[in-house]
Amino acid sequence: MSIMVPSKTPALITPGQQALDSALHQLGHAAEHLGLDDGLRTMLATPRRSLTVSVPVRREDGRMDVVQGFRVQHNVSRGPAKGGIRFHPHTDIHEVTALAMWMTWKCALVGIPYGGAKGGVSVDPAALTTRELERLTRRYVNEILPLIGPEKDIPAPDVGTDEQTMAWIMDTYSVNAGYSVPGVVTGKPMTLGGSLGRAGATSRGVQIAALAALGRSPEGVTVAVQGFGKVGALAAQYLADVGCKVVAVSDVRGAVCAPSGLDVADLRAYSAETGSVYGYRHADALGHAELFELDVDLLVPAALEGVITEENAPRIRARLIVEGANGPTTPEADEILAASGTTVVPDILANAGGVIVSYLEWVQNMQAFSWSAAEVEMKLRDLMRSAYGEVKSLAAEKSLTLRQAAHVIGVGRVAEAHQMRGLYP
Ligand code: GLU
């Protein structure tokens, strides 16, 4: 049996289905390259466990709303399932499945002993009060409680969730267990067993990947960053810190651009205060679509999936794309970019800094011990650089794109683990 790729009817396909379509396409290529048999391909194309829950939420006015929640464990051959929880109105089971699959390859690629998972709730967190959000989080965690645990499946932040969400998850799980279980979740506040360096870890990883891929001094390298949230804002900052010129950034509300370079620290302060980069006085306004087409050296998509498509890929002028987001580039766009000689450092490599430091946080929790910021950063750098080196040399050796090589390594390691374990019974 071959991997089923959902049919493509553009008008009917949801962003989540598009993401899953992309993930299956990438898996299909890696499986072909590795010569995996049909049974193994099918196993890797389907999640190991997939749970859909209805989450009732008491609103401030006394009404009860019911939202859909999900937790998907894609694969656990290499260790406990690991992956974030997303709160977003467009989140559906297809998107969560795709994101869980990418987590599996990501953890295998950077050599941390986890399988892949993802969770999500179809909700707009900005439309809820803090108390509603807390009730929603706690009830969602209760619904998925049988699946999670420090030895089973460890959630973390993703789009729309943060340290506070993780604190509520840790508390809800711990109250049910009857004792404190810090290792059930990563990306926690420091007071609850969070790790130094976790908050900026994904962005730090993006910086490390970008510097490795640039292969030259970052001084004066022009950068556009799409998304100014947890990943994008700090990625812009860390790139500016090493001498890059960040000329444009965007968020949900708008995009801003300053050809002579943005003062990223000032823009972060403005965005933290107003909730958006929109209206920032020391820059010109820009259209969302225009940001992708700027004549910059480096483009960092750091928001959601499917933003670089066959439609806009031909107009992308950046020679290097480093994916802070999961799944920002469709397979069709990938082909166009490869043909035009654009280097794409793929998501499962470029944004792995987050889960790497999540792993370090979990190790510290399991040992009831903590490391210095310098120690955490050194381990992060080592893991990122060695994964980058492996991907780069396989790509060169086999004439693959960096994405194809990253998937061949990630998928190959999971397949190998499965084969070594054998099939039970
Ligand atoms: N949500 C992040 C990701 O997509 C981090 C996951 C984690 O730390 O477990 O990689």
Side-chain angles (χ1 to χ4, degrees):
M1 190 183 143
S2 62
I3 294 163
M4 298 289 288
V5 176
S7 70
K8 274 187 228 156
T9 315
L12 298 177
I13 198 163
T14 67
Q17 285 168 323
Q18 171 68 60
L20 186 53
D21 194 358
S22 299
L24 290 173
H25 177 95
Q26 293 154 2
L27 168 61
H29 182 277
E32 203 56 46
H33 186 94
L34 291 160
L36 302 185
D37 66 46
D38 287 349
L40 193 47
R41 285 183 196 215
T42 307
M43 198 195 87
L44 297 176
T46 37
R48 183 68 176 268
R49 283 196 192 99
S50 186
L51 179 64
T52 298
V53 295
S54 291
V55 186
V57 195
R58 183 73 62 200
R59 303 297 302 265
E60 299 295 9
D61 62 6
R63 240 173 347 113
M64 184 185 75
D65 278 349
V66 181
V67 294
Q68 289 250 293
F70 315 96
R71 184 73 186 171
V72 174
Q73 296 175 352
H74 169 257
N75 188 282
V76 289
S77 292
R78 298 181 60 263
K82 184 85 190 80
I85 290 174
R86 172 172 296 198
F87 288 175
H88 191 275
H90 296 151
T91 290
D92 61 19
I93 189 66
H94 308 293
E95 181 190 53
V96 176
T97 305
L99 292 164
M101 192 181 291
W102 285 323
M103 285 308 302
T104 302
W105 317 141
K106 192 187 304 189
C107 294
L109 173 63
V110 298
I112 57 177
Y114 287 138
K118 206 74 163 200
V121 178
S122 316
V123 74
D124 178 6
L128 299 181
T129 67
T130 304
R131 288 190 309 179
E132 288 170 337
L133 214 46
E134 177 173 354
R135 287 196 287 267
L136 165 83
T137 304
R138 289 184 183 280
R139 186 58 190 253
Y140 163 71
V141 172
N142 251 284
E143 300 299 334
I144 64 162
L145 210 58
L147 293 195
I148 63 169
E151 269 118 16
K152 296 196 285 188
D153 181 356
I154 306 114
D158 196 81
V159 175
T161 57
D162 57 17
E163 281 193 354
Q164 177 61 77
T165 327
M166 299 307 117
W168 291 329
I169 296 176
M170 182 268 193
D171 184 67
T172 306
Y173 186 89
S174 299
V175 167
N176 273 279
Y179 52 94
S180 284
V181 189
V184 65
V185 77
T186 58
K188 296 178 293 295
M190 286 303 297
T191 40
L192 296 177
S195 175
L196 290 166
R198 176 61 184 87
T202 311
S203 315
R204 180 66 70 199
V206 166
Q207 181 213 40
I208 296 166
L211 294 180
L214 273 170
R216 64 175 159 110
S217 160
E219 200 60 48
V221 165
T222 53
V223 185
V225 181
Q226 181 247 351
F228 209 63
K230 285 195 295 282
V231 177
L234 279 178
Q237 183 68 68
Y238 295 155
L239 288 167
D241 289 347
V242 290
C244 292
K245 193 157 76 168
V246 179
V247 296
V249 305
S250 68
D251 63 21
V252 191
R253 284 194 60 202
V256 292
C257 144
S260 58
L262 292 157
D263 178 342
V264 178
D266 190 54
L267 182 55
R268 281 173 54 225
Y270 173 84
S271 159
E273 200 183 306
T274 65
S276 173
V277 299
Y278 182 77
Y280 182 61
R281 273 187 302 120
H282 309 291
D284 300 324
L286 191 74
H288 273 118
E290 287 170 278
L291 179 128
F292 288 98
E293 299 167 18
L294 290 176
D295 189 8
V296 289
D297 301 311
L298 166 61
L299 174 63
V300 179
L304 295 170
E305 308 93 68
V307 293
I308 299 177
T309 64
E310 58 196 316
E311 200 273 312
N312 64 1
R315 293 192 300 280
I316 288 180
R317 284 187 277 175
R319 308 312 295 151
L320 174 62
I321 297 176
V322 177
E323 296 182 336
N326 290 309
T329 310
T330 66
E332 295 79 8
D334 256 338
E335 276 181 34
I336 295 167
L337 294 169
S340 69
T342 308
T343 301
V344 181
V345 184
D347 48 7
I348 60 169
L349 173 60
N351 71 34
V355 75
I356 289 174
V357 180
S358 273
Y359 164 64
L360 299 176
E361 177 176 332
W362 178 79
V363 171
Q364 292 169 84
N365 294 156
M366 300 310 258
Q367 300 177 348
F369 193 68
S370 64
W371 293 322
S372 68
E375 209 155 348
V376 170
E377 191 167 325
M378 189 190 70
K379 293 184 198 310
L380 166 64
R381 261 178 217 289
D382 284 353
L383 286 169
M384 284 295 299
R385 284 190 185 146
S386 86
Y388 183 85
E390 284 179 278
V391 170
K392 177 99 182 147
S393 48
L394 184 73
E397 188 192 324
K398 304 279 186 195
S399 298
L400 299 171
T401 64
L402 295 181
R403 189 185 317 280
Q404 290 167 340
H407 276 82
V408 166
I409 296 172
V411 173
R413 286 183 183 158
V414 176
E416 189 190 347
H418 175 75
Q419 277 157 340
M420 289 303 290
R421 285 176 61 155
L423 195 59
Y424 174 87

